[in-house]
Amino acid sequence: MYKGDTASLRSCFVPGAQLFTFTHDTDGNPRAKGESLDQLMKNIAALYGKLAVEEKLLSWQILIDDGIASVWTPYEFYIENKFSHCGVNSFQL
């Protein structure tokens, strides 16, 4: 991801992967926004490899049961060494 290598990154996802961002609108109501894998790759290609970008994982929790796993990783995101935003990644494997 940090090299902007979208071909390698794309290989980490299953076909039909679903991506969502959960935020709050200006009134504080929760909202979910879907994003295609293609859009994520475009965003990564536009940002990574061109700017100093860092996603700092603050911790992680991995839960595994037979053939399924869930990973929870709170993070802070920096662009050009300046704080941009924070959140939590949740991966279902």
Side-chain angles (χ1 to χ4, degrees), residues 3-92:
K3 293 180 182 178
D5 183 353
T6 56
S8 292
L9 184 59
R10 187 180 291 274
S11 72
C12 296
F13 292 86
V14 297
Q18 297 182 10
L19 309 166
F20 294 93
T21 300
F22 293 90
T23 60
H24 292 88
D25 65 19
T26 55
D27 294 324
N29 300 309
R31 70 179 190 108
K33 176 185 169 197
E35 179 179 41
S36 70
L37 188 56
D38 287 341
Q39 186 59 51
L40 175 66
M41 295 303 131
K42 286 178 188 175
N43 293 342
I44 288 171
L47 190 61
Y48 289 82
K50 295 171 179 61
L51 298 172
V53 177
E54 182 179 13
E55 181 179 22
K56 292 182 181 180
L57 299 183
L58 305 176
S59 66
W60 55 87
Q61 180 180 14
I62 302 170
L63 301 172
I64 302 170
D65 186 8
D66 199 17
I68 188 168
S70 178
V71 181
W72 184 268
T73 61
Y75 69 87
E76 294 177 341
F77 197 82
Y78 296 82
I79 300 174
E80 296 292 314
N81 298 315
K82 293 180 183 171
F83 178 77
S84 171
H85 63 279
C86 59
V88 175
N89 295 315
S90 174
F91 301 98
Q92 308 312 306

